[in-house]
Amino acid sequence: MVTCQEPDGPATATAEGPLSFGPLIGGVTVDGPAEWVHAIRASALIDDPVGATCYRNALNAGRMGPDAHPETILGRCALAGPDHMQAALRTARQAADEWGGSCPARRAGLAEAFRARLRDHADTLTGLLVEEGHPVRLARMEVANLLTFFGPETTDWCLRHMETRHTVGGRTVSLRRVPDGVVCVQPPQNTPALSVGAAFQAVLAGNALVVRLSRHAPMAAMYLLERVAVPALAEAGAPPGVLSALCTDPALALDTWLESPLVDDVLYFGDSIRGEHLEKACLAAGKKPLLELGGNDMVVVWRDAPLDRAVEALMESYHGSGQICCAPNIALIHPEIADRLTDLLTDRVRALRPGFPDDPRVVLAATPNTAGYDATLADARRAGARILAGGRHLDVDGRESDVAVFAEPTLVRADGLSFAGKLRSVRYETFFPLLTLAVPRPAGDDELLTEMLSFVASGTYGLRNSLWTRSPEVIDRFVRDVRSCGQLRVNDSHLAGVPYLSNHGGPGLSGDRFAELNYPMLRTSRLQGVAIAQDGPTAAGDASPHVPDRPRPRVEAAREYPPGWPPDPLPDGLPAPFTEAFRHDPYPTLHWLREHRPVSRIVSPDGPGWLLTRYDDVRKAHTDPRVTCDSKRTPAGGMWLRHWPSELRERLFVHLLDSDDPRHGELRRIMQPFFTPARQERWRSRVQRLVDHRIDQIVDRGHGDLMAAVAYPLGGNVLFSVLGATPPRMNHLRAMIWRTAEWNNDVPYVAALAHEVDAFVRTAVAEKRRSPGDDLISLLVRARDEDGLLGEDELHGQVMMMLAAGQDPSINSVGNSLHALLTHPDQLTALRDDPSLLATAVGELLRYESPLPFTSWRGTLEPVEFGEVTVPANESLFLCIGAANRDPARFPDPDRLDLRRQVPGHLAFGHGAHYCLGAHIGRMTAESAVATVLRRLPGLRPAGTPRWRPSMFERGLSGLPVAWDVTRKEAVR
């Protein structure tokens, strides 16, 4: 690995491998502890959010090493402990006493030394920011802004304020600013490098800095400090203790700073709620709080504004997906031009697309946490604002997904400033890609200008605000009346760096009680900056081509296919089982095989075996004692598990679905009391509440994805209510479970995924040991700890099995049933007109599109006869429930959906000893979801192409786009 202790090592972090940083104390990297945090390249996280996240977690927990997927790793940073922090503070105190009394000219030379080295390392720093997820256009702008801030104009202006001398009355009078001493810096976790760079200006005043770096994105910041700041300090002759940087726990750092008598100031970047609490804590502890908090910037667009340039500036709202405090969040538009500007802006916003950060066309950054985005959109819809664009969660290819990492760029319009002022998107910072257009009611220009400027001036945040107009009188009013912010921009980019002006600082919720335009050398008197561009705005970003130092990392699955894979198509070009085309629509192939080769020797990605497609054969294989369910005794089962870590494979695959009698029966009897029909029926009202809550979230939209909106969260909530486990990020966990339980080996990061599942299971079991309840995990823990009926591995295996098998039948039953009805509108109408059909309808829907078309792998322990074919011992069996449920020998005219059909004996939930324990909950969930969706979403119809999950084991949808009629008053539930 490249170590950044080398003063002038390789120029790029990617040329010789990942970066590695230890704790930086007094300008020297010291030996760190054995614990590391690893940074994964943003493009790897965007390409595969679930797999790459699990791999990062496995790296940080020490369960896997960097050699598993080295192409994804940007670097690592040692976690510093309390002793390191105390050493850094002591070193800083000693250095501050010396450096603060040094000659001002000596400190002045530091600014140019820092800027010169920053210019030399600008390309590398830009590349690191891109690797951390900053779109290259934004990364270039951020580095340019930092260079501007340390330019001679801003530095000279600040230095002039540090000391003045006067001769008066026979005396020499000196007015000088003296440094506070030790300044501790906690930058934001998403953009630490540029904030740390700006904070470095405090050193020019004679202070020493101790920086607590984010564990989320420390690499560019550490590079900036070690490769740029430390050599610049040495060149200026500063004592080594002036700068320290540690990657450590944020709470630990803040508590230490507040308690330490060595600390003078705390410079904190973060949200306004935490900032307010920290300010009180700092004052109580005798520390000076310097807070850089949220922003809710506004842009006024007057009726004579150049619309093309104004729209360009407003599009800066979406840079970095709005995760920039000083991005414009609200635009106040003169009503005379509101419709024209709205149309222009809507087209531009809709044209924005997600992408990888090294693509110069991309401005959006990944936004994995979208809870605030969803809540803000829901608030706007409830209030009656117009959603002109956006509102979905997208993957890097622009497809809607509930495990996506991009929030779709969104534009909201609110007519009337009093109405707009009540919206969440106007009252609070929107740290995601959402811009609100607030259009005042028509009035005379004097009244409109007064109303709009009053709205801006009364904003509770005070970072920066902008104006677009050609009128000198309007500019004068804007500059005169808007005094409640740190910076004003007129006819200029809202984001670009401007000489003399700081990028940070403002009063209100954007800062502390003494905040202003923030020059870390100053911060005593109240300042405001104004920039009026005469020759057009400064460019907000360079869109020239960007060539990454190395290709984007992409982890490929370790594909090891058996001989004969992929197989040739069947006659008439029908796809062979388990191929991609087969997974899209398996029924033509299954129909042909059932008619011509009902017991067929085939090849799967996990090896050869025998496919059973007749109802009688599939039913028999469920009960014949010569057929095993133990994957370790099945050739295909062993192949399926080959990429799992051996320790996890041996420890976790000892569960109900992976065992034979007599142990299977013993394990089933332990769980049986939790799955009696009476107990399951008690869930009906809870399931109905969950369904209604999900419909409440979308009913007023008129369109949506029924999988993301209803089926996925319903299945997950029901499962975790049964388990009694603390709900995690369920979309992340569900996607992870799907991939670890998948039959084929086309799954990247499979070892990391398995370790993540194991960690979740361990945590859930430990929680129930501490605090048991009336739930399934508690029942299993009691069976292990009190009754001795389970081994520890079996306990963990049972929980893992429930995670893998507990929600998918419900999810697929709901999605498949709704899809079947949408593709058979006559049956949908019949069910809507006669809800009493639901009793037979759900059984028919489960038969028609079975949620699990195959069982898990089975194997023959002895020769077994299926009709005229004898399958030898030690062979894999593939039991096709989907084919059995469409066997014309059992179900007349089986490919026709008939909700009045009586379907006793369908195999959707299995048969015999392995019949699904939670079948009743699955049916009940499907009944509630189908009935409620049809009742509350009138005129339900397809609104796009459904997407099927690429799974061999299951038949389930990943997306089901629909539309419905929105009425003023929803039908009574």
Side-chain angles (χ1 to χ4, degrees):
M1 289 190 175
V2 178
T3 64
C4 286
Q5 298 175 55
E6 306 165 28
D8 282 294
T12 69
T14 57
E16 295 187 14
L19 293 167
S20 184
F21 295 103
L24 179 69
I25 299 179
V28 177
T29 301
V30 301
D31 290 336
E35 191 173 358
W36 298 85
V37 290
H38 291 77
I40 299 294
R41 299 179 189 278
S43 52
L45 287 162
I46 290 170
D47 182 56
D48 189 345
V50 175
T53 298
C54 291
Y55 180 48
R56 181 180 60 196
N57 294 344
L59 283 169
N60 291 342
R63 296 190 294 265
M64 295 182 69
D67 54 337
H69 306 296
E71 67 277 17
T72 70
I73 299 175
L74 178 60
R76 65 178 186 171
C77 198
L79 278 176
D83 292 344
H84 291 102
M85 180 61 73
Q86 294 293 348
L89 294 177
R90 289 194 299 270
T91 305
R93 180 78 273 165
Q94 295 167 2
D97 293 341
E98 175 187 345
W99 180 241
S102 62
C103 169
R106 181 180 167 197
R107 287 185 259 135
L110 176 59
E112 182 50 37
F114 179 81
R115 187 170 188 264
R117 294 194 68 87
L118 177 61
R119 190 186 304 112
D120 292 342
H121 290 262
D123 288 344
T124 301
L125 186 59
T126 299
L128 285 171
L129 290 170
V130 171
E131 295 284 13
E132 287 186 335
H134 300 230
V136 63
R137 292 175 59 178
L138 178 61
R140 284 173 169 158
M141 184 181 71
E142 290 170 323
V143 174
N145 285 357
L146 194 56
L147 284 165
T148 299
F149 184 58
F150 279 89
E153 302 90 348
T154 307
T155 299
D156 291 348
W157 184 88
C158 289
L159 289 173
R160 287 199 303 271
H161 285 72
M162 292 300 295
E163 183 175 10
T164 59
R165 296 188 179 188
H166 309 274
T167 301
V168 58
R171 297 179 178 87
T172 297
V173 177
S174 176
L175 300 176
R176 65 175 189 173
R177 302 172 73 99
V178 294
D180 288 337
V182 175
V183 178
C184 293
V185 182
Q186 177 146 306
Q189 75 167 4
N190 66 320
T191 55
L194 282 304
S195 298
V196 167
F200 185 74
Q201 199 205 40
V203 177
L204 304 186
N207 295 296
L209 286 187
V210 176
V211 181
R212 199 293 297 183
L213 283 177
S214 159
R215 292 174 294 181
H216 176 74
M219 307 311 292
M222 284 297 285
Y223 184 92
L224 175 67
L225 293 176
E226 286 204 357
R227 290 293 184 90
V228 177
V230 168
L233 285 165
E235 184 179 329
V242 163
L243 180 62
S244 296
L246 308 173
C247 186
T248 189
D249 179 76
L252 169 68
L254 286 173
D255 289 346
T256 302
W257 297 345
L258 292 172
E259 294 170 3
S260 175
L262 305 176
V263 175
D264 297 295
D265 297 355
V266 175
L267 174 51
Y268 172 84
F269 296 78
D271 68 81
S272 56
I273 296 175
R274 289 188 181 91
E276 184 178 5
H277 293 309
L278 179 61
E279 181 181 42
K280 294 176 181 177
C282 284
L283 295 174
K287 317 296 180 188
K288 179 192 288 186
L290 304 174
L291 307 181
E292 290 297 338
L293 307 177
N296 206 26
D297 292 2
M298 303 189 203
V299 179
V300 175
V301 185
W302 196 242
R303 61 180 174 82
D304 63 345
L307 290 191
D308 55 342
R309 292 168 58 195
V311 166
E312 201 65 41
L314 289 175
M315 289 300 294
E316 292 177 358
S317 173
Y318 302 99
H319 283 214
S321 288
Q323 298 178 90
I324 306 172
C325 289
C326 56
N329 291 346
I330 306 156
L332 279 67
I333 314 298
H334 192 290
E336 188 176 308
I337 61 166
D339 290 343
R340 277 190 293 149
L341 186 141
T342 297
D343 290 343
L344 290 171
L345 198 57
T346 300
D347 290 342
R348 290 289 303 277
V349 173
R350 288 176 176 169
L352 289 175
R353 294 289 182 269
F356 290 99
D358 58 6
D359 186 338
R361 299 167 298 178
V362 169
V363 300
L364 302 176
T367 52
N369 186 0
T370 56
Y373 175 78
D374 295 337
T376 300
L377 273 171
D379 172 78
R381 290 189 178 98
R382 283 193 300 269
R386 294 163 55 192
I387 312 298
L388 304 172
R392 301 178 299 166
H393 300 174
L394 306 176
D395 64 15
V396 70
D397 297 313
R399 297 179 302 232
E400 188 170 4
S401 169
D402 70 330
V403 292
V405 292
F406 289 93
E408 186 175 28
T410 300
L411 187 64
V412 175
R413 174 165 169 169
D415 289 278
L417 295 191
S418 60
F419 168 64
K422 299 174 183 177
L423 296 179
R424 179 177 176 138
S425 63
V426 174
R427 291 184 293 122
Y428 304 114
E429 181 184 32
T430 54
F431 207 58
F432 34 81
L434 189 152
L435 175 66
T436 300
L437 306 182
V439 181
R441 303 296 180 189
D445 275 358
D446 286 344
E447 181 181 346
L448 276 174
L449 184 58
T450 299
E451 182 185 15
M452 294 167 78
L453 295 185
S454 175
F455 191 91
V456 174
S458 63
T460 54
Y461 294 80
L463 200 53
R464 67 176 63 168
N465 294 297
S466 289
L467 168 69
W468 284 88
T469 183
R470 292 187 175 95
S471 167
E473 293 79 10
V474 174
I475 295 173
D476 289 344
R477 284 279 305 277
F478 179 71
V479 173
R480 185 193 74 187
D481 294 349
V482 181
R483 301 184 297 276
S484 57
C485 61
Q487 189 174 148
L488 302 179
R489 297 287 182 97
V490 178
N491 297 334
D492 198 0
S493 161
H494 199 88
L495 292 179
V498 175
Y500 297 104
L501 299 187
S502 170
N503 219 35
H504 297 89
L509 294 177
S510 291
D512 55 86
R513 283 162 176 75
F514 306 99
E516 62 186 8
L517 187 64
N518 185 3
Y519 301 89
M521 276 198 276
L522 308 177
R523 285 300 308 273
T524 53
S525 58
R526 188 72 174 263
L527 298 175
Q528 184 183 74
V530 177
I532 300 176
Q534 301 297 325
D535 298 320
T538 305
D542 182 3
S544 59
H546 173 73
V547 180
D549 295 314
R550 56 178 291 166
R552 296 177 191 141
R554 184 176 181 87
V555 172
E556 299 290 344
R559 297 179 175 88
E560 298 174 18
Y561 293 118
W565 182 265
D568 294 331
L570 300 178
D572 301 324
L574 290 172
F578 305 127
T579 57
E580 183 176 352
F582 171 82
R583 294 198 298 264
H584 180 71
D585 183 7
Y587 295 110
T589 294
L590 294 176
H591 178 80
W592 188 92
L593 287 172
R594 192 176 51 238
E595 183 176 348
H596 297 93
R597 301 177 193 168
V599 182
S600 179
R601 178 76 170 172
I602 66 165
V603 176
S604 82
D606 289 337
W610 297 82
L611 176 64
L612 308 183
T613 54
R614 288 185 302 218
Y615 180 90
D616 290 341
D617 293 338
V618 172
R619 184 181 171 102
K620 174 182 178 179
H622 273 83
T623 58
D624 196 306
R626 296 171 295 175
V627 174
T628 180
C629 295
D630 187 343
S631 62
K632 294 180 286 298
R633 303 171 71 185
T634 305
M639 283 284 286
W640 168 47
L641 297 171
R642 62 194 177 279
H643 296 304
W644 271 61
S646 57
E647 182 268 334
L648 297 184
R649 183 171 66 241
E650 294 168 4
R651 185 165 56 79
L652 290 177
F653 279 85
V654 288
H655 54 70
L656 189 71
L657 296 184
D658 209 54
S659 59
D660 299 321
D661 284 333
R663 190 53 180 157
H664 170 266
E666 294 167 350
L667 294 173
R668 190 177 181 93
R669 283 191 290 276
I670 293 171
M671 300 175 68
Q672 189 70 51
F674 202 84
F675 289 99
T676 63
R679 184 176 183 121
Q680 293 185 75
E681 186 61 27
R682 292 204 298 268
W683 286 82
R684 187 175 294 275
S685 60
R686 186 176 301 184
V687 169
Q688 187 60 54
R689 287 195 302 271
L690 288 169
V691 176
D692 279 324
H693 174 71
R694 298 307 308 178
I695 300 295
D696 288 342
Q697 308 304 306
I698 64 169
V699 66
D700 293 330
R701 299 184 191 177
H703 62 89
D705 179 356
L706 289 181
M707 297 305 297
V710 179
Y712 288 162
L714 182 58
N717 276 287
V718 170
L719 170 66
F720 280 92
S721 295
V722 170
L723 289 176
T726 302
R729 286 186 299 147
M730 281 194 281
N731 51 2
H732 173 89
L733 183 67
R734 183 183 63 253
M736 186 172 62
I737 292 292
W738 277 351
R739 293 167 65 177
T740 53
E742 184 50 76
W743 277 3
N744 64 60
N745 57 356
D746 289 342
V747 180
Y749 298 103
V750 68
L753 294 160
H755 280 296
E756 189 90 345
V757 173
D758 178 53
F760 177 84
V761 169
R762 288 172 178 265
T763 300
V765 169
E767 284 181 358
K768 287 305 168 183
R769 281 197 163 116
R770 289 191 302 268
S771 180
D774 183 23
D775 52 69
L776 184 56
I777 297 180
S778 296
L779 179 149
L780 293 170
V781 168
R782 286 192 294 271
R784 164 73 179 104
D785 295 350
E786 298 176 13
D787 303 325
L789 301 176
L790 285 172
E792 189 68 17
D793 289 352
E794 288 178 315
L795 168 59
H796 289 148
Q798 290 291 90
V799 176
M800 188 209 71
M801 179 271 293
M802 286 299 299
L803 285 173
Q807 60 178 322
D808 286 4
S810 292
I811 290 172
N812 295 345
S813 296
V814 171
N816 294 359
S817 296
L818 291 169
H819 174 259
L821 291 171
L822 287 165
T823 53
H824 295 80
D826 59 325
Q827 298 296 297
L828 186 151
T829 300
L831 182 56
R832 177 175 279 146
D833 293 345
D834 183 5
S836 68
L837 281 177
L838 193 63
T840 59
V842 169
E844 170 68 353
L845 290 165
L846 290 170
R847 178 203 68 81
Y848 182 79
E849 195 72 86
S850 300
L852 300 175
F854 292 92
T855 65
S856 56
W857 294 139
R858 301 291 208 269
T860 56
L861 301 175
E862 303 173 22
V864 183
E865 306 78 21
F866 295 102
E868 65 282 2
V869 177
T870 298
V871 176
N874 300 317
E875 292 278 346
S876 300
L877 289 178
F878 312 142
L879 313 188
C880 187
I881 292 174
N885 278 343
R886 292 201 184 191
D887 187 345
R890 180 64 178 81
F891 304 102
D893 196 7
D895 293 322
R896 180 172 61 88
L897 180 67
D898 180 4
L899 300 188
R900 291 179 170 80
R901 185 198 303 264
Q902 299 295 324
V903 283
H906 71 74
L907 303 178
F909 291 113
H911 176 65
H914 282 272
Y915 185 76
C916 179
L917 277 170
H920 189 77
I921 290 181
R923 278 193 301 267
M924 185 171 55
T925 303
E927 288 175 6
S928 296
V930 169
T932 307
V933 165
L934 295 188
R935 184 176 70 250
R936 296 190 59 193
L937 303 182
L940 189 71
R941 55 197 178 273
T945 303
R947 300 189 304 276
W948 294 96
R949 282 176 48 209
S951 171
M952 292 195 306
F953 182 58
E954 299 183 16
R955 177 73 169 159
L957 290 155
S958 62
L960 183 56
V962 296
W964 59 88
D965 301 330
V966 177
T967 58
R968 290 186 176 275
K969 185 176 182 180
E970 184 198 350
V972 178
R973 293 180 186 173

